[in-house]
Amino acid sequence: MRTQPTITQQQALTLLENWATQGLLRELDLALVRFLQAEVPAMEPALMLATALTSYQLGQGHVCLDLQQVLGNPAATLTLSLDKNNPTLMADVQYLKEQLAAWQAADWHIAPQQAKLINHGAGNTPLVLVKQRLYLRRYWRYERQIETAIQQRLLSSQQLLDHPSAAEFREKLDALFPPAPLTTQQANTTTTDWQKIAGALAAHSNFSLITGGPGTGKTTTVVRLLALLQSNALAENPTRPLTIRLAAPTGKAAARLQEAITGAIDKLPAFVQANSLLQAHIPNTVTTLHRLLGARPNTRLFRHHARNPLLLDVLVIDEGSMIDLEMMASVLLALPTHARLIILGDKDQLASVEAGSVLGALCQRAHQGHFLPETIRWIEATTGEHIDPALQDANGLPLDQHIVMLRTSRRFTDDSGIGQLAQAVNSGDLQTMAAIWQQDFHDLYRYDLPDLTDKRLQTILFGQMPQQNRPPGIIDYLHIIKTAHPPLEADKAAFDAWAQQILQTHSHFQLLCVLRDGPFGVSGLNHHIETLLANQQMIQPDGIWYEGRPILITRNDYALGLMNGDIGITLSYPTHNQATNTLEWGLRVAFIREDGSDTIRWIAPSRLQNSETVFALTIHKSQGSEFEHCALLLPSEPNPILTRELIYTGITRGKRWLSLICINNHNIINQAVTRTVQRSGGLFAENSHITTDC
C-alpha cells in the first residue's frame, strides 16, 4: 500500500480515539486497531482508519467497508451530519479522505510490509481486500461459503422435465394448485399463477427461493409444494417418507409460521386429505434456526455442522429477510448434500439486525425475472402458465432460474388502503402516496399530531370500549383482565382460558415505533402509555411488575423455553403460602406455548432476566408478526434508520387496519421513503456464471 502518509500512526490513533469518545466508533473498533498495530507495528495509517471503519460497519449491518463509498461521503459512513461550522470535524473527515485517496491512487495496492495483516483472500490474514471492499476475514469467508454452497446446490439440482412420471407430476401439480378465486380487477386481466410456478420450479431444485409481499401466498405455496414432494417420495417408497423440517429466525416468526402452516394444511385438496399416510408426513411443527442447529450456550458454535449434518431431506426457512450472513452460512454448512433448501421471505422488508442482507442480495434481480428462454419453455409446458416476455433474459444467471417472486396479493383487496400504500412506499412513489391520503379507505387512518399530549393519541391507542366494528386497541385486553378475572379458588383450567383470551386479544393490536430511546422511542412511549393507563385506573404500576404489564423476551432462554420476541402478560395468579398453608394472590407471566398446543405457561417474574415492557415495540422487533390493527408512530426528526424498508415493514404488519401517527412533522414519512437501505457486501457481486440446466 505505497502511500505518502499525510498523518502519522499516532495521529491516526488519536483520531480514532476522538471518534470513539464522540460515539462515532465503538470501543471494540478501536481495540481491534490497537491489537493489529501491536502485532504489526508497520501498520499504515490508512489501513488503521479503514480497519476501524470496517469493524464499525459490521455493527451497522454491513458485511464489509466499501472504500469507494467512503471516499464519496466519509461523513455518511460515520452516520453523522457534516457540520461545516465544526472545524475539528471537517479536519477529521479531510484526514480520512486524504488517506484513502492516497491508497486509491495506488489502486488499493497492498504493500509487502502489510502482508501479515491483509491480502486478497488466500492465507489467514485478519483482513481481506477484494477490489474496493475491505472485510474482516470471518465475514469474507461467510460470503464465500454461502456462494459455494448455493452454487453446488444449483449444479446438483435435478430436472423433472425428463422424469418418467412427468405426466403424473403435472396431474398432481394441477390438483395442488387449482385456479384461485380472484378479485374483480384481477379477473379482468391475464393473471399468472406464480404459486404454481414456484411449486414446479422448487420441486426440481435443491435450492429455491420464494419471495413476495404480504398475502401473496408464500406459506400456501410451500405447504402444497411439500405435499407434492412427499407424495412423490411415498409413491416411490411408502416406507421412506421425506424428513422435512420447518424453521424461522425467531420464536415469534416460528410461532406465526406454525399457525399459518396448520391452516394451510387444512385447506389442501381432497386427494391429500383422503391420504392419511401423506397427511401424516406433512409437518406443522416449526422451530427456530438456533434450536434446529443446536446452539451451544456462550459460543458462536452449533452442534450441527459439516461433520455432523442435520438429519433431514427438506428444510424450509421462513422470514428469510431476517437471516444474517453468519446464520445463513451456518445453515448451509449443516445441510446434507442431498437435502433441498427452500427459503421464503419478502425481499423488500428490513434486513437482519446482524450483518448482512442475504435475502436482498439473492433477490436483487427477482422483480425482473431474468428467466432463460429454456426455463420459460419448461415452465409453460409443465404448468400451463404464461410468462410475460418482459421477464425473459437470454443472459439470465443460473441463480435467477431458482427464484420466483409471487406477484398477486390476496390479503389486500382492490379497495385496501394498506395494500396500495405499501406498494407506493415500496416503489418510492410520493405522488401516489399523496393521492392515497386523499381517499377514504376503510382500513387506513392518518393522524398529524402536534405532540404526544394530543387527546387523539389516547383515542387511537385505547379505542372506546365496548364499541363494535372499530380497530382494536390496548384497552381491549385490559378490559378482559378486569371483567373476567377468575376467583382465587378457581382451577387452573379457568385461569388458563382467561389468560389465553387475554393474550389473543392483546395480539390484535400493537403500537410500533422506530427508535429505542427518547420520547418517540420504546422507552419514552412505554412510560407515556403507562402513565395514561394509570390515570384511567386500567393498571396500577406499583413497581416494575404489575397486573396487565405486557413484556417482551429480548434474549433466547432455552432453560425456560422462551425465545427472543415472545410476548407474555403479567397477571394475578393463585400461589400457595407455605407459612399459612393458604392460597393468596401472586404475580405470574402468562405465555402461550409455541408448540402447537396453544396451552398456557405461567412463569414467575423473578425468573425472567431478559425482558422489557412492550406497550410499544420497534418495527425491527415486529418482523415475523402481524396484527389486526397496527399503529405506526414516527418521530418528529429525521433519523438514519428511517428508511423506505423500515416504513414498508411497519405498514405491512397491519392486517385489517393501519393508523399512521406523525408527530409535529407531516412530511416525515416522505423523507423516510426517499432513503433506502444500502448495505455493503459482496455476496454474488461478481454474478458468477456457473452453468446449470433448467
Side-chain angles (χ1 to χ4, degrees):
M1 207 166 61
R2 298 169 185 167
T3 65
Q4 296 297 321
T6 56
I7 57 175
T8 65
Q9 276 189 339
Q10 185 54 51
Q11 287 174 313
L13 194 58
T14 300
L15 180 62
L16 294 175
E17 290 170 346
N18 290 338
W19 286 351
T21 300
Q22 297 174 61
L24 303 178
L25 289 178
R26 304 172 299 176
E27 287 296 330
L28 175 66
D29 311 323
L30 180 60
L32 174 63
V33 174
R34 285 173 170 158
F35 172 76
L36 294 181
Q37 199 241 346
E39 293 293 309
V40 181
M43 187 178 190
E44 295 190 10
L47 191 56
M48 293 172 66
L49 296 175
T51 299
L53 292 178
T54 301
S55 176
Y56 171 76
Q57 289 287 78
L58 282 172
Q60 304 301 308
H62 300 275
V63 175
C64 62
L65 179 71
D66 190 316
L67 295 164
Q68 198 69 49
Q69 288 182 2
V70 180
L71 274 171
N73 193 348
T77 302
L78 292 167
T79 61
L80 54 85
S81 298
L82 189 56
D83 183 0
K84 295 184 178 180
N85 296 319
N86 186 332
T88 302
L89 183 57
M90 288 294 291
D92 287 353
V93 171
Q94 187 60 34
Y95 280 148
L96 177 59
K97 290 187 70 171
E98 288 174 0
Q99 288 291 292
L100 295 186
W103 191 5
Q104 182 192 38
D107 196 24
W108 311 115
H109 176 76
I110 299 175
Q113 63 268 30
Q114 307 299 303
K116 291 184 179 180
L117 291 173
I118 181 172
N119 64 21
H120 297 299
N124 58 358
T125 58
L127 300 166
V128 174
L129 179 65
V130 180
K131 296 185 177 179
Q132 80 277 5
R133 297 190 300 272
L134 183 63
Y135 294 84
L136 297 186
R137 175 168 292 276
R138 180 153 56 94
Y139 290 88
W140 173 82
R141 187 183 297 118
Y142 290 151
E143 282 195 344
R144 305 294 77 76
Q145 287 174 345
I146 292 171
E147 285 184 351
T148 300
I150 290 178
Q151 288 172 350
Q152 289 173 346
R153 290 184 178 281
L154 301 189
L155 287 168
S156 64
S157 293
Q158 299 299 312
Q159 275 281 12
L160 287 184
L161 182 60
D162 300 320
H163 195 280
S165 58
E168 182 183 351
F169 170 70
R170 173 63 185 272
E171 183 180 344
K172 289 179 181 177
L173 195 65
D174 289 342
L176 284 164
F177 294 90
L182 301 174
T183 65
T184 302
Q185 180 178 330
Q186 292 165 350
N188 293 331
T189 60
T190 301
T191 304
T192 299
D193 189 346
W194 287 103
Q195 294 184 16
K196 189 175 186 180
I197 292 170
L201 283 174
H204 84 283
S205 175
N206 277 354
F207 175 83
S208 54
L209 204 158
I210 302 172
T211 185
T216 52
K218 297 184 291 292
T219 305
T220 298
T221 301
V222 82
V223 167
R224 294 175 180 180
L225 169 61
L226 295 181
L228 175 63
L229 294 174
Q230 197 67 279
S231 175
N232 291 340
L234 291 171
E236 291 185 8
N237 186 348
T239 64
R240 178 61 177 89
L242 295 173
T243 300
I244 302 172
R245 299 293 302 275
L246 309 173
T250 67
K252 179 56 64 178
R256 184 172 156 277
L257 176 62
Q258 185 160 302
E259 180 182 1
I261 288 279
T262 301
I265 289 175
D266 292 339
K267 297 176 183 177
L268 282 170
F271 88 90
V272 180
Q273 304 288 357
N275 188 331
S276 58
L277 180 62
L278 175 56
Q279 264 200 304
H281 290 99
I282 301 175
N284 64 353
T285 301
V286 185
T287 186
T288 63
L289 288 173
H290 283 85
R291 279 180 168 172
L292 175 76
L293 295 178
R296 296 168 62 178
N298 304 317
T299 76
R300 307 176 78 102
L301 304 177
F302 295 101
R303 187 163 54 86
H304 290 289
H305 43 71
R307 293 185 299 278
N308 182 30
L310 294 161
L311 299 176
L312 52 78
D313 301 304
V314 180
L315 174 61
V316 176
I317 304 177
D318 194 20
E319 295 292 349
S321 63
M322 300 171 68
I323 306 175
D324 62 85
L325 192 77
E326 182 176 3
M327 176 56 75
M328 182 60 76
S330 298
V331 168
L332 288 166
L333 199 65
L335 274 184
T337 56
H338 75 278
R340 297 175 188 263
L341 175 61
I342 303 164
I343 302 176
L344 313 176
D346 185 345
K347 67 180 181 62
D348 297 313
Q349 280 193 30
L350 284 169
S352 61
V353 175
E354 303 297 330
S357 180
V358 178
L359 190 73
L362 294 175
C363 292
Q364 58 186 315
R365 293 158 56 91
H367 186 75
Q368 295 79 22
H370 295 285
F371 294 118
L372 292 167
E374 51 267 39
T375 302
I376 290 181
R377 286 195 296 270
W378 186 87
I379 289 173
E380 293 184 341
T382 305
T383 67
E385 296 296 319
H386 173 71
I387 305 293
D388 188 335
L391 300 178
Q392 179 174 306
D393 181 1
N395 298 312
L397 302 176
L399 181 62
D400 298 330
Q401 318 313 305
H402 297 259
I403 298 175
V404 175
M405 179 176 171
L406 306 183
R407 300 164 189 263
T408 304
S409 176
R410 291 177 172 83
R411 175 188 302 173
F412 300 126
T413 59
D414 300 342
D415 61 347
S416 167
I418 298 176
Q420 293 189 36
L421 181 62
Q423 186 175 0
V425 165
N426 201 18
S427 59
D429 188 344
L430 299 183
Q431 185 175 355
T432 299
M433 287 173 57
I436 288 171
W437 298 124
Q438 302 304 315
Q439 302 178 57
D440 187 22
F441 287 108
H442 67 281
D443 60 346
L444 191 60
Y445 305 89
R446 174 165 179 162
Y447 303 88
D448 292 294
L449 309 181
D451 52 49
L452 294 176
T453 63
D454 192 293
K455 292 295 184 183
R456 287 174 292 174
L457 178 63
Q458 185 167 318
T459 302
I460 300 163
L461 300 181
F462 295 172
Q464 299 295 325
M465 289 296 297
Q467 181 182 341
Q468 300 299 317
N469 299 320
R470 51 89 187 161
I474 291 174
I475 208 168
D476 294 6
Y477 83 92
L478 294 170
H479 181 75
I480 297 173
I481 291 177
K482 282 187 170 295
T483 61
H485 205 304
L488 182 65
E489 62 275 9
D491 60 15
K492 183 177 183 299
F495 279 94
D496 284 356
W498 174 61
Q500 190 170 60
Q501 184 183 8
I502 291 168
L503 284 161
Q504 289 175 347
T505 302
H506 176 271
S507 69
H508 292 165
F509 170 80
Q510 184 63 59
L511 171 64
L512 299 182
C513 59
V514 173
L515 308 173
R516 290 281 312 162
D517 303 314
F520 307 118
V522 166
S523 57
L525 288 171
N526 277 327
H527 177 72
H528 183 67
I529 293 170
E530 274 186 341
T531 301
L532 292 176
L533 290 171
N535 290 341
Q536 289 196 0
Q537 298 186 331
M538 293 303 298
I539 60 172
Q540 296 177 342
D542 182 18
I544 296 177
W545 294 98
Y546 54 86
E547 185 166 47
R549 182 193 179 203
I551 66 141
L552 175 78
I553 300 300
T554 58
R555 184 178 298 177
N556 293 344
D557 189 328
Y558 295 100
L560 292 178
L562 296 174
M563 295 292 107
N564 183 7
D566 286 352
I567 289 179
I569 306 292
T570 311
L571 299 171
S572 296
Y573 190 77
T575 59
H576 182 255
N577 187 322
Q578 293 183 343
T580 62
N581 196 29
T582 59
L583 286 177
E584 59 184 31
W585 289 114
L587 289 177
R588 292 291 184 270
V589 183
F591 294 89
I592 292 181
R593 291 185 187 272
E594 308 293 6
D595 58 2
S597 66
D598 282 344
T599 55
I600 298 297
R601 301 184 61 203
W602 299 89
I603 298 179
S606 59
R607 302 185 66 191
L608 301 173
Q609 301 301 311
N610 298 288
S611 64
E612 60 185 31
T613 304
V614 70
F615 288 118
L617 180 69
T618 63
I619 296 173
H620 279 90
K621 285 285 189 179
S622 74
Q623 281 185 271
S625 299
E626 293 175 347
F627 312 98
E628 294 292 304
H629 178 203
C630 169
L632 177 57
L633 188 146
L634 302 182
S636 59
E637 298 295 330
N639 188 287
I641 69 171
L642 258 177
T643 63
R644 180 183 303 174
E645 292 82 358
L646 186 85
I647 299 298
Y648 170 81
T649 302
I651 289 171
T652 53
R653 298 311 90 200
K655 292 175 65 176
R656 294 184 61 192
W657 294 280
L658 173 72
S659 296
L660 178 71
I661 307 169
C662 298
I663 307 294
N664 196 30
N665 186 347
H666 72 278
N667 198 42
I668 190 69
I669 185 171
N670 290 356
Q671 294 171 328
V673 168
T674 58
R675 290 174 52 92
T676 59
V677 174
Q678 299 292 336
R679 285 198 169 180
S680 298
L683 189 63
F684 282 98
E686 311 308 322
N687 286 335
S688 175
H689 286 264
I690 64 168
T691 57
T692 179
D693 296 328
C694 194

